[in-house]
Amino acid sequence: MAKTPQSRASEEKIIDIDVSEEMRTSFLEYSYSVIYARALPDARDGLKPVQRRILFQMDQMGLRPDHGHVKSSRVVGDVMGRLHPHGDSAIYDAMVRLAQPFTMRLPLVDGHGNFGSLDDGPAAARYTEVRMAPAAVAMNASLAEDVVDMVPNYDNTLMQPEVLPAAIPNLLVNGTSGIAVGMATNMPPHNLNEVIAGARHLLMHPDATLGEIMTFIPGPDLPEGGKIVGLDGIREAYATGRGIFRTRATASIENVTSRKRGIVFTELPYLTGPEKIIEKIKDAVQSKKIQGISAVQNLTDRHHGMRLVVEVKNSFNPQAVLAALYQHTPLEESFGINNVALVEGQPQTLGLIDLLRVYVDHRISVTRRRSAFRLKKAQDRLHLVEGLLIAILDIDDVIEIIRSSEDAAEASRRLQQVFDLTEAQADYILELRLRRLTKLSQLELEAERDDLRRQIADLEAILSSDARLKELVSQEMAEVAEQFGTPRRTLLVEATGEELKAAANPHDLKIADDPCQVIYTGSGRIAKILGDSPLHRSGPRARYDDVVAVISTTNYAEIGVVTSTGNIHRLKVLDIPQIPRTDAAPGAGGGVKLADVIVSEGNERPLMIVSLDPGSAPIAFATGQGKVKRLQPSYPNKEVFDVMTLADGDEIIGAAHAPDDTALVLITTDAQLLRFSADAVRPQGRSGQGIAGIKLSNGARVLGFGVVPAEDISGHGVTTRADSSRSLPGTTPGSVKTTPLDRFPAKGRGTGGVRAQRFLKGEDILTGAWVTPLPPRAVGANGGAVNLPDIDERRDASGTLLSESIISVG
């Protein structure tokens, strides 16, 4: 039978509502749900509901640090099915954050597997494993002792904690972030030791000022370290709950190769990954915001940690490039503090003292409730123990009453009447096992009774005295700091703004063409120092006392490196590492090996540095076969060019600038020395083979070469070292002699010269010869100074045996 319109209308329920009022009500309910149940942390334990449920469920599952890891999917499933009726991805994302050491200052989940990085997400939950971190155990500590209120889960089948006991001040230590409806929270991590020190001070001094608390908590402490620049924003945030500070990467300027300087970043701003920074650097270089960068490399690995290398072109000032990087890339980021958290279910913006006070009050409440729980438990146990002791004293009567009773109820009633026991004591006696009737058991019960009485007295004293209660809370905080505390990682510095001025104009990034000096040592190292003032030598261990050549030049000039094969390699002064004027001598470890900054072939060895200025004096060369040559100061524009045609088996052994008014000195392996005027050698072109310098005896070779100003012959000396040709080079110190150069008469070019040292018994060869200003300075194989014998005025005298080998004299 068809329904009439009247019958259909009677079955319908149509309610007229105000749409705007319905939307307002629904939106407020949704907003409250998001704020309270999802996005904002509770100020007491610093956890959002999903985080709290994860830690609670892991505790219920027994996944403590001494337990093996389990699949993340299992934890996510249990949390979702029992406590958190939301998607598995939201639960897993929250658990991943709790396990990330670069996000959490004190991770609460011990993750096994790929939990992501600052640039990449984690693996799926089916691939990773988790268990509680030790800090999570402290967050759940005493949960079974009625320390917090328990509330039903979403379907009223289970109970869950409203808040965790939180022995760790998690909100400040690990920070948090979240976006709710109409509000957001963003809090940086802090150092556990500092937060607990501040909380303990506030506990004992409730009227403490912000200045006093900041002596304990000076600022955030980020997981990856770095720097916080500018503390005004931190002070404002600690006072009002809102503020901004800047985080900056930690950088150092190093020699990334033998010829290049670079900026090495070892700590990055909070939650900023290296790949993002590399991308931003490339964008800034392409847009011309930053100049002077030749390459960027991410050399980070698990063994050496963070290492992001930015190579700087040699013509640019690394400090200025660093300032530009801070200005135009995420290597310096702003962090906005917004301390919004739930206090008694209501979102509030809290300053530092407010945050600490909420936590301190929570710990006082937890400790008081735990003490009350333990007191009640101890009293109940003492009540049973006392009843049991009564029964043991009259055990025969007790047994008789039990045997003569019809049932357990009658036995309990009669025991209560005869021995004046309570129902609980009587029931406990009825459950007594026969093995408890021994004399030893009685002694144990009496000891337990005395111990329980002491515990009860102590707990009653704690509950009756606020001072004792606070003392206990402070002591437990100190134990947590000792167990989990780590040193501060983030450096706090006041902002000056001066470091960014160099980045205002890209042209300011370039190095000026200032005067400088290139120094070369007998140990084969080269370095650059700014300024053109002369280097002074004084004392037996004067700085730079092993320098054998100095070239005054400028930053954008080039110098030449003379090699043993008769070539000169051009070397840009910008490619030479700079050291302070007050630094140790390069031969002691500064600068760089000259062999590392040129590309040599075969047996080619770098010997000396020379100036390539066309206005400089001719360069004199000496070869092992006794030839000399002075090169006309005209050099081709090539990276490498030859300067002398050498005979087969010959090589250059020394080079130096030699004007006409200088003297050339050659010393041979058979201890002959020849000094003659440089103007006796006419300058030649690059293809010249040179002319005879010294006449050699059979088997002898030229070992040492020097150029000395004619007017300063008396200020120079000759240091020679003799040894046996049968000894391996460097294995014996040999005998050494130093004689003023003016003791050796000048001879004509091409002659045999005069004897420079008389050989001792067993010696037949010179293994070292140096022409240097007086007094000479010697350097040993370990880079330290070696004392030379006193100057010997006799040109053909024997040497003095040394106790340590020398490698250079300068």
Side-chain angles (χ1 to χ4, degrees):
M1 177 178 175
K3 293 185 178 180
T4 64
Q6 291 80 7
S7 62
R8 286 198 302 269
S10 63
E11 293 179 2
E12 293 176 352
K13 293 183 179 179
I14 299 175
I15 303 174
D16 292 330
I17 61 171
D18 186 341
V19 175
S20 61
E21 181 64 27
E22 178 66 21
M23 290 296 294
R24 185 181 299 110
T25 302
S26 299
F27 185 75
L28 285 175
E29 291 178 355
Y30 167 74
S31 301
Y32 179 77
S33 174
V34 171
I35 291 170
Y36 181 75
R38 188 178 303 176
L40 298 185
D42 192 295
R44 293 169 291 180
D45 62 4
L47 297 172
K48 301 175 184 179
V50 62
Q51 297 171 330
R52 185 179 303 114
R53 291 162 181 167
I54 289 171
L55 297 182
F56 172 69
Q57 185 58 36
M58 291 178 75
D59 183 63
Q60 295 297 106
M61 296 170 66
L63 302 181
R64 293 173 183 81
D66 56 353
H67 188 281
H69 293 82
V70 302
K71 284 291 183 181
S72 300
S73 297
R74 178 181 169 189
V75 178
V76 170
D78 278 12
V79 172
M80 181 169 58
R82 294 172 178 270
L83 305 173
H84 197 69
H86 296 276
D88 58 338
S89 61
I91 300 172
Y92 183 55
D93 289 345
M95 187 166 63
V96 165
R97 185 184 186 279
L98 294 174
Q100 290 175 333
F102 52 83
T103 302
M104 307 284 284
R105 187 61 177 81
L106 185 63
L108 300 177
V109 170
D110 179 9
H112 184 209
N114 177 15
F115 277 80
S117 66
L118 290 167
D119 294 304
D120 298 309
R126 61 184 178 273
Y127 298 120
T128 61
E129 299 177 344
V130 292
R131 65 182 177 188
M132 297 173 69
V137 177
M139 292 293 292
N140 284 292
S142 305
L143 193 57
E145 296 182 293
D146 191 33
V147 292
V148 294
D149 293 337
M150 302 295 286
V151 295
N153 69 337
Y154 65 93
D155 61 357
N156 293 314
T157 59
L158 299 169
M159 301 297 288
Q160 61 182 335
E162 181 186 43
V163 64
L164 292 186
I168 295 172
N170 178 64
L171 186 58
L172 278 168
V173 171
N174 281 322
T176 189
S177 63
I179 300 176
V181 178
M183 63 184 66
T185 184
N186 199 33
M187 301 177 63
H190 289 74
N191 185 273
L192 176 63
N193 289 331
E194 296 174 356
V195 173
I196 285 186
R200 293 180 68 194
H201 182 79
L202 184 65
L203 176 66
M204 297 303 180
H205 305 85
D207 298 328
T209 64
L210 179 61
E212 294 174 5
I213 297 299
M214 285 191 67
T215 61
F216 300 99
I217 311 175
D221 187 25
L222 309 176
E224 296 293 289
K227 298 179 182 177
I228 291 179
V229 183
L231 306 184
D232 292 339
I234 294 174
R235 296 187 187 98
E236 181 182 358
Y238 285 172
T240 66
R242 297 177 184 270
I244 297 176
F245 65 85
R246 288 181 293 148
T247 62
R248 176 179 293 178
T250 299
S252 61
I253 297 175
E254 304 176 8
N255 290 328
V256 295
T257 68
S258 59
R259 302 178 67 167
K260 275 195 179 279
R261 301 276 282 172
I263 305 170
V264 179
F265 296 95
T266 54
E267 296 173 348
L268 300 182
Y270 185 46
L271 299 182
T272 303
E275 297 303 324
K276 175 184 176 183
I277 289 175
I278 291 175
E279 180 182 351
K280 294 297 183 182
I281 290 176
K282 291 180 179 179
D283 292 343
V285 171
Q286 291 174 359
S287 62
K288 306 297 183 183
K289 292 181 180 178
I290 302 178
Q291 298 182 10
I293 295 176
S294 59
V296 184
Q297 300 181 71
N298 182 11
L299 304 181
T300 303
D301 59 41
R302 67 180 62 186
H303 300 294
H304 302 93
M306 172 59 61
R307 187 172 177 84
L308 183 65
V309 179
V310 178
E311 291 187 8
V312 179
K313 296 178 181 177
N314 288 328
S315 59
F316 286 77
N317 185 348
Q319 291 287 357
V321 174
L322 175 60
L325 287 170
Y326 284 145
Q327 186 177 27
H328 297 293
T329 71
L331 287 165
E332 180 173 294
E333 288 275 68
S334 294
F335 187 98
I337 300 177
N338 191 22
N339 296 336
V340 178
L342 296 175
V343 180
E344 297 181 356
Q346 300 297 320
Q348 295 184 19
T349 302
L350 307 172
L352 178 61
I353 292 181
D354 297 326
L355 287 167
L356 289 175
R357 184 169 287 119
V358 170
Y359 175 73
V360 167
D361 291 345
H362 176 56
R363 286 305 300 171
I364 290 175
S365 171
V366 166
T367 307
R368 179 182 286 113
R369 292 181 61 165
R370 185 189 65 202
S371 299
F373 178 87
R374 291 178 179 178
L375 175 61
K376 177 67 168 57
K377 187 176 180 180
Q379 289 172 337
D380 292 344
R381 177 60 183 170
L382 177 62
H383 183 64
L384 298 177
V385 169
E386 288 175 339
L388 197 56
L389 284 171
I390 293 173
I392 289 178
L393 290 175
D394 299 298
I395 190 63
D396 293 335
D397 295 338
V398 170
I399 294 174
E400 180 61 29
I401 290 174
I402 295 174
R403 292 184 62 185
S404 61
S405 300
E406 293 290 336
D407 52 27
E410 181 184 351
S412 175
R413 186 172 59 256
R414 293 176 61 188
L415 287 173
Q416 295 175 44
Q417 294 173 352
V418 173
F419 297 104
D420 194 20
L421 301 174
T422 64
E423 182 178 356
Q425 289 175 320
D427 291 342
Y428 189 68
I429 291 172
L430 290 175
E431 296 174 358
L432 182 68
R433 293 185 179 183
L434 293 178
R435 65 184 182 185
R436 299 297 302 273
L437 301 179
T438 64
K439 292 182 179 180
L440 179 60
S441 178
Q442 181 178 349
L443 294 176
E444 291 175 350
L445 288 172
E446 289 174 348
E448 183 181 2
R449 176 195 62 194
D450 297 340
D451 184 57
L452 288 169
R453 286 174 177 173
R454 285 192 296 269
Q455 291 182 28
I456 290 170
D458 188 52
L459 292 169
E460 288 176 340
I462 291 173
L463 292 172
S464 62
S465 171
D466 289 340
R468 283 286 305 277
L469 182 62
K470 289 182 178 180
E471 182 180 348
L472 177 59
V473 172
S474 179
Q475 178 184 346
E476 291 178 351
M477 287 183 180
E479 292 172 356
V480 167
E482 182 178 358
Q483 181 180 0
F484 300 107
T486 55
R488 167 171 279 275
R489 299 173 185 171
T490 302
L491 180 65
L492 304 175
V493 295
E494 292 284 2
T496 61
E498 296 180 358
E499 65 274 7
L500 294 181
K501 291 181 180 179
N505 187 344
H507 298 291
D508 296 337
L509 300 177
K510 285 202 170 186
I511 296 175
D513 194 18
D514 294 329
C516 63
Q517 292 179 328
V518 178
I519 54 180
Y520 178 59
T521 74
S523 60
R525 305 188 78 86
I526 189 172
K528 174 180 65 180
I529 56 175
L530 294 181
D532 53 4
S533 58
L535 299 174
H536 298 287
R537 299 183 302 132
S538 62
R541 290 179 180 268
R543 294 174 186 265
Y544 301 110
D545 61 358
D546 59 343
V547 172
V548 296
V550 179
I551 296 179
S552 295
T553 180
T554 62
N555 282 323
Y556 283 87
E558 292 182 327
I559 65 169
V561 178
V562 180
T563 68
S564 59
T565 56
N567 291 329
I568 286 183
H569 293 247
R570 286 184 178 270
L571 179 61
K572 294 180 180 179
V573 176
L574 284 171
D575 290 345
I576 302 173
Q578 178 181 322
I579 62 174
R581 289 189 71 86
T582 58
D583 202 356
V592 66
K593 278 283 189 181
L594 183 57
D596 294 336
V597 296
I598 67 168
V599 180
S600 57
E601 297 181 358
N603 295 325
E604 187 177 24
R605 295 176 292 106
L607 299 174
M608 182 57 65
I609 59 173
V610 293
S611 173
L612 297 182
D613 186 352
S616 61
I619 304 173
F621 306 94
T623 75
Q625 295 181 0
K627 288 191 173 183
V628 293
K629 175 182 178 179
R630 282 205 302 160
L631 179 67
Q632 294 174 349
S634 176
Y635 312 110
N637 189 21
K638 296 181 179 179
E639 289 294 320
V640 181
F641 55 91
D642 59 332
V643 292
M644 186 173 182
T645 302
L646 297 172
D648 292 342
D650 201 4
E651 65 175 1
I652 292 178
I653 58 94
H657 288 280
D660 289 343
D661 57 350
T662 57
L664 306 185
V665 181
L666 292 92
I667 308 163
T668 67
T669 55
D670 59 350
Q672 295 297 115
L673 182 148
L674 175 63
R675 171 166 65 92
F676 59 90
S677 177
D679 60 11
V681 182
R682 181 177 58 84
Q684 296 179 311
R686 293 189 300 113
S687 60
Q689 298 182 4
I691 57 178
I694 187 173
K695 185 178 180 180
L696 298 174
S697 59
N698 290 335
R701 294 182 62 83
V702 176
L703 176 68
F705 175 67
V707 177
V708 180
E711 71 276 7
D712 195 24
I713 296 295
S714 61
H716 284 69
V718 177
T719 301
T720 53
R721 178 183 61 198
D723 205 342
S724 171
S725 59
R726 294 181 295 273
S727 300
L728 292 175
T731 59
T732 58
S735 64
V736 175
K737 178 179 77 75
T738 299
T739 303
L741 183 59
D742 60 4
R743 300 298 184 269
F744 299 88
K747 298 286 185 177
R749 179 187 62 80
T751 63
V754 297
R755 186 162 58 184
Q757 180 173 345
R758 185 185 300 274
F759 292 132
L760 295 173
K761 184 177 180 180
E763 296 178 345
D764 59 359
I765 191 173
L766 288 186
T767 56
W770 301 271
V771 181
T772 63
L774 294 175
R777 302 288 183 259
V779 176
N782 61 356
V786 177
N787 293 326
L788 292 174
D790 294 337
I791 294 176
D792 193 333
E793 299 290 339
R794 301 169 298 170
R795 66 173 179 80
D796 61 346
S798 300
T800 302
L801 292 174
L802 293 183
S803 60
E804 181 179 353
S805 296
I806 59 176
I807 61 171
S808 68
V809 178

